[in-house]
């Protein structure tokens, strides 16, 4: 069956049904991480460091333990020492030792907000009073915040045992550079020698937070029989189980983790902060413990994404062929190694077929909170630098910026510098769709600029489990293993309904705890609709095969003569005159045909199709204040096939909105002591509805993923990659000069306008 015939036959996939969790969320009935209440539950609070870098000389908790109402106190001494081995199950690089030390500082505090102790008490007031009674003695040490400053030989050293990986010979002196990553091909010197035009720039981005509305929250209940439970706002209940088990020395089977509804994550809830601490407090008190971060704690102690400093040099022939690219990326990892610089290197030039390439990345620790994943981790940062350079190259060549990208775009069969061969991609078609859109040719007014940029994300598959159970009345329940962030329950139900041949309304989708379904990786990396969806479809297909077998048994005919069509079994031998048996009819005969109808599938999904996105934005600049206003926004993406188009559009619009905030306003700001100045939504400026226009979307479905039953590709990561450079290019076109540092806040834009005006004035007077 070719793809066209499949598309013609789809009845549920591609439609826009209501999401199954919608009513509970809009009416307030949905239970989030902090909503659970258990008898005898205690309140947990964390004492955090006021210093950016200090040695812990002593921690005295005796006074806190004597306070009436305090039931348990923990410090790093209550956690076992961890080996320096990689964490499995999380998103982003980390070791168990670093993860443990980040949850509870052991020898040194490495950032303001670093946890040093925690209490569980009968009320919030008592818990706060207990924190004040914990006496921590510090030896304050010099700190370093900026990534390039942290790379200097004389920078304050965070870890005495950190030696740069990826360097030969292995360094004998420790430094803050955790790792060097390199990719390349061709001959860079020869490539640049053939170029007619070369552009280069030094680009800087600030750390930004994922900005989820629901803070980290969990309830932990340690059982007297050694069986423990955790309810948590997370992107991966199995990852929470694994990390807590390892950090506390508990057998995996003795922890049950139930995912709550999640009020946003975007990669920031793929690791643990409170969960092992809450469980440790519960184990010592014998009572359930509830912990919820304040908004300030979210900003100070949970991972933002990296800030970075980057150097990009691009060279092209006068007819527009990009021949050479030299990229250096320096990413902040925060207090412990593990920035997404590797992914940033891999994604930086993935959109373009360039013969001569050198990409070098550095993972650098500094006295900030350990970074965490944030939608397409690392890719938006490197795309800002590369795409701005491509825009500058187009201007110097006098070539339309989309035409230049089309001329150099990767196509199916192209090999990326990191080794992958692209299959079934529609990057060129996505560029063409934006160029053909009325937005691209619409006139601009005074002080208005238009920017365009492209972006890439790998998308991944991995381990997933799902089951499909047929109810006695012929409905079905889909049980999956991934927390639903972007509407995945609807997508799972749709794919099951399509496979079973029943209406969407006859299928219910739920997300199970760690004891009710097989293992699954995180909800992250744009993997769920692809990988878990594949498990759902295979489980549903097993159910269909079983239904056909049962129909054959009832009819006493070979199963090869039974076909499943539109939710019913049909006998292909019309001479026998068998009436079609519907799913409901077969479900009513299970006792006589073999028992309940059910199937579970666990798999390691391979073949996730990469995502390519192209964004177009118009910006107006107030020349007196430097304030930027987004006038119009259009986003196109190669989506394979949209299972639920509304949710695909929502992912694209959400990524664009977050990227606009990253480009224009968002940044972590520190004082001279390394303390965060803006740990809250009043001072950390995220876009709100009034800051954005309606975001137009174009779903490019010309290259469905043949390795997925319904052609799905991941769509959640790529939308956040192009906004940073698209916005920067639009503002640069108003200013009349390239811009190299984000965010493009009003003071920074005003300075750029003044500098450009001064340069033009100097040129006109011959100075």
């Amino acid at each position: 069956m070719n793809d066209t015939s499949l598309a013609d036959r789809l009845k549920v996939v591609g439609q826009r049904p209501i999401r199954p969790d919608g009513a509970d969320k809009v009416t307030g009935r949905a239970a989030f991480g902090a909503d659970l209440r258990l008898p005898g539950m205690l309140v947990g609070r964390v004492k955090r460091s006021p210093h950016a870098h200090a040695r812990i000389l002593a921690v005295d908790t005796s006074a806190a333990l004597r306070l009436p109402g305090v039931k348990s106190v923990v410090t790093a001494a209550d956690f076992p020492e961890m080996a320096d081995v990689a964490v499995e199950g999380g998103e982003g690089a980390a070791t168990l030792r670093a993860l443990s030390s980040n949850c509870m500082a052991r020898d040194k505090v490495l950032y303001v907000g670093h946890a040093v102790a925690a209490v569980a008490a009968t009320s919030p007031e008592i818990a706060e009073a207990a924190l004040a009674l914990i006496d921590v003695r510090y030896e304050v040490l010099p700190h370093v915040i900026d990534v390039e400053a942290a790379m200097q030989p004389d920078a304050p050293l965070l870890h005495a045992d950190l030696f740069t990986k990826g360097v030969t010979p292995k360094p004998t002196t420790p430094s803050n550079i955790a790792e060097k990553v390199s990719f390349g091909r061709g001959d860079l010197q020869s490539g640049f020698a053939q170029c007619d035009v070369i552009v280069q720039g030094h680009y800087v981005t600030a750390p930004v937070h994922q900005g989820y509305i629901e803070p980290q929250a969990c309830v932990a209940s340690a059982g007297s029989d050694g069986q423990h439970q955790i309810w948590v706002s997370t992107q991966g209940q199995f990852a929470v189980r694994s990390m807590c088990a390892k950090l506390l020395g508990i057998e995996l089977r003795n922890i049950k983790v139930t995912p709550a509804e999640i009020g946003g994550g975007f990669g920031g809830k793929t690791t643990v902060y409170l969960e092992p601490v809450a469980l440790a407090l519960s184990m010592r008190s014998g009572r359930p413990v509830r912990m919820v971060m304040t908004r300030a704690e979210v900003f100070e102690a949970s991972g933002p994404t990296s800030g970075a400093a980057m150097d990009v040099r691009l060279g092209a022939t006068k007819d527009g062929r990009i021949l050479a690219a030299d990229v250096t990326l320096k990413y902040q990892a925060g207090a412990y190694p593990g920035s997404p610089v590797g992914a940033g290197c891999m994604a930086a030039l993935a959109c373009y077929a360039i013969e001569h390439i050198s990409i070098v990345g550095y993972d650098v620790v500094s006295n900030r909170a350990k970074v965490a994943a944030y939608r397409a981790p690392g890719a938006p940062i490197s795309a800002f630098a590369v795409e701005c350079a491509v825009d500058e190259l187009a201007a110097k060549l006098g070539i339309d910026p989309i035409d230049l990208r089309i001329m150099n775009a990767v196509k199916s069969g192209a090999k990326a510098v990191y080794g992958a061969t692209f299959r079934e991609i529609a990057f060129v078609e996505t560029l063409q769709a934006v160029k053909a859109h009325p937005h691209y040719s619409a006139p601009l007014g005074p002080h208005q600029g238009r920017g365009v940029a492209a972006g890439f994300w790998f998308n991944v598959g991995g381990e997933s489990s799902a089951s499909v159970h047929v109810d006695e009345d012929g409905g079905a329940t889909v049980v999956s293993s991934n927390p639903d962030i972007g509407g995945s329950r609807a997508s799972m139900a749709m794919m099951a309904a399509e496979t079973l041949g029943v209406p969407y309304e006859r299928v219910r989708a739920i997300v199970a705890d760690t004891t009710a379904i097989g293992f699954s990786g995180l909800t992250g990396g744009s993997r769920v609709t692809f990988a878990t969806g594949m498990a759902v479809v295979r489980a549903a297909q097993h159910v269909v095969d079983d239904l056909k077998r049962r129909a054959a048994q009832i009819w006493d005919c070979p199963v090869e003569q039974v076909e499943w069509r539109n939710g019913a079994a049909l006998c292909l031998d019309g001479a026998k005159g068998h009436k079609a048996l519907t799913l409901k009819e077969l479900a009513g005969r299970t006792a006589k045909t073999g028992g309940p109808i059910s199937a579970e599938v666990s798999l390691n999904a391979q073949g996730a199709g990469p995502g390519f996105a192209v964004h177009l934005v118009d910006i107006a600049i107030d020349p007196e204040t430097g304030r930027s206003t987004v006038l119009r926004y259009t986003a196109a993406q190669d989506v394979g096939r949209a299972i639920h188009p509304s949710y695909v559009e929502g992912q694209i619009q959400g990524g664009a909105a977050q990227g606009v905030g990253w480009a224009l306003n968002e940044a972590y700001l520190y004082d001279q002591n390394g303390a965060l100045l803006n740990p809250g939504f009043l001072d950390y400026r995220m876009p709100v509805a009034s800051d954005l226009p309606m975001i137009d979307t174009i779903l490019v479905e010309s290259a469905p993923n043949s390795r997925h039953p319904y052609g799905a590709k991941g769509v959640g990561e790529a939308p956040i990659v192009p906004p940073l450079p698209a916005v920067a290019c639009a503002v640069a076109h108003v200013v009349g000069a390239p811009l190299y540092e984000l965010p493009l806040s009003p003071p920074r834009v005003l300075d750029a306008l003044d500098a450009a005006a001064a340069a033009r004035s100097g040129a006109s007077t011959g100075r």
Side-chain angles (χ1 to χ4, degrees), residues 421-441:
T421 298
F422 295 135
R423 296 175 51 186
E424 299 165 335
I425 64 173
F427 181 38
V428 170
E429 292 86 342
T430 307
L431 286 162
Q432 292 169 335
V434 171
K435 188 173 183 183
H437 194 280
H439 181 177
Y440 197 62
S441 56

Side-chain angles (χ1 to χ4, degrees), residues 392-403:
E392 188 177 349
L393 194 60
K396 288 196 172 185
L397 290 167
I399 298 175
D400 178 274
I402 291 185
D403 287 342

Side-chain angles (χ1 to χ4, degrees), residues 90 121 185 301 324 460 569 628 663 688 747 767:
R185 67 181 175 211
V460 296
S628 301
V688 295
R767 289 182 294 179

Side-chain angles (χ1 to χ4, degrees), residues 216-417:
Q216 270 81 6
C218 69
V219 174
S221 179
S224 56
D225 60 353
Q227 299 290 307
H228 311 308
Q229 296 191 64
I230 301 172
W231 295 263
V232 61
S233 174
T234 179
Q235 292 178 240
Q237 64 270 40
F238 291 92
V240 170
R241 182 181 68 170
S242 174
M243 293 178 194
C244 288
K246 288 183 171 68
L247 295 186
L248 293 171
I250 300 170
E251 288 190 39
L252 205 68
R253 61 183 176 83
N254 290 333
I255 300 178
K256 172 184 175 181
V257 180
T258 301
E261 294 289 355
I262 181 170
F266 312 112
K269 293 179 181 174
T270 58
T271 187
V272 293
Y273 300 100
L274 301 177
E275 298 87 346
V277 177
L279 186 52
L281 289 168
S282 180
M283 292 168 69
R284 280 153 185 76
S285 65
R287 292 168 63 173
V289 175
R290 173 178 174 266
M291 300 188 78
V292 182
M293 280 190 178
T294 66
R295 186 62 60 186
E297 286 179 308
V298 169
F299 275 100
E300 291 178 344
S302 73
T305 192
S306 302
M310 298 164 285
D311 293 285
V312 172
R313 185 164 59 120
L314 297 181
T317 60
K318 59 185 177 183
D319 61 355
R321 188 160 64 98
I322 303 176
L323 292 181
D326 187 8
V327 177
T328 301
L329 309 176
K330 305 163 187 173
Y331 280 26
Q332 297 162 350
Y336 300 94
S339 76
V341 71
C345 288
M346 294 163 73
L349 298 168
C351 290
Y352 305 110
I354 303 174
E355 185 177 355
H356 306 286
I357 292 175
S358 171
I359 306 175
V360 176
Y362 296 95
D363 182 32
V364 184
V365 297
S366 61
N367 295 112
R368 304 171 179 260
K370 168 74 171 72
V371 302
Y374 182 19
R375 292 182 87 156
I381 301 167
S382 60
F384 163 63
V386 169
E387 289 293 300
C388 285
V390 170
D391 193 73
E392 188 177 349
L393 194 60
K396 288 196 172 185
L397 290 167
I399 298 175
D400 178 274
I402 291 185
D403 287 342
L404 181 64
R405 288 172 170 86
I406 291 174
M407 292 164 58
N408 293 281
V410 290
K411 302 176 180 65
S412 296
K415 193 175 183 66
V417 69

Side-chain angles (χ1 to χ4, degrees), residues 101-160:
S101 296
N102 197 43
C103 288
M104 194 62 65
R106 188 168 293 275
D107 300 311
K108 291 201 301 183
V109 292
L110 297 172
Y111 54 92
V112 173
H114 201 163
V116 292
V119 304
T122 54
S123 73
E125 294 78 13
I126 294 174
E128 292 294 337
L131 294 184
L133 292 174
I134 297 174
D135 181 29
V136 185
R137 291 194 296 116
Y138 297 101
E139 176 192 350
V140 179
L141 302 170
H143 68 276
V144 61
I145 295 291
D146 177 75
V147 62
E148 291 187 296
M151 296 176 72
Q152 299 305 310
D154 59 348
L157 189 66
L158 272 70
H159 304 281

Side-chain angles (χ1 to χ4, degrees), residues 677-759:
L677 291 169
N678 56 338
F681 286 150
L682 277 178
D683 298 312
Y684 181 88
R685 181 72 166 84
M686 290 175 59
V688 295
S690 58
D691 292 317
L692 297 166
M694 294 299 293
I695 297 172
D696 196 10
T697 58
I698 306 170
L699 307 186
V700 179
E701 297 185 273
S702 59
N705 184 4
S706 64
R707 289 156 290 180
H708 184 274
Y710 295 117
K713 296 177 181 176
V715 298
E717 316 289 311
I720 202 173
V721 182
L724 281 65
V727 169
C729 291
V731 175
H733 294 162
V734 180
V735 170
L739 299 171
Y740 300 105
E741 185 171 357
L742 299 181
L744 295 170
S745 58
R748 187 165 285 154
V749 172
L750 196 59
D751 287 345
L753 287 168
D754 292 343

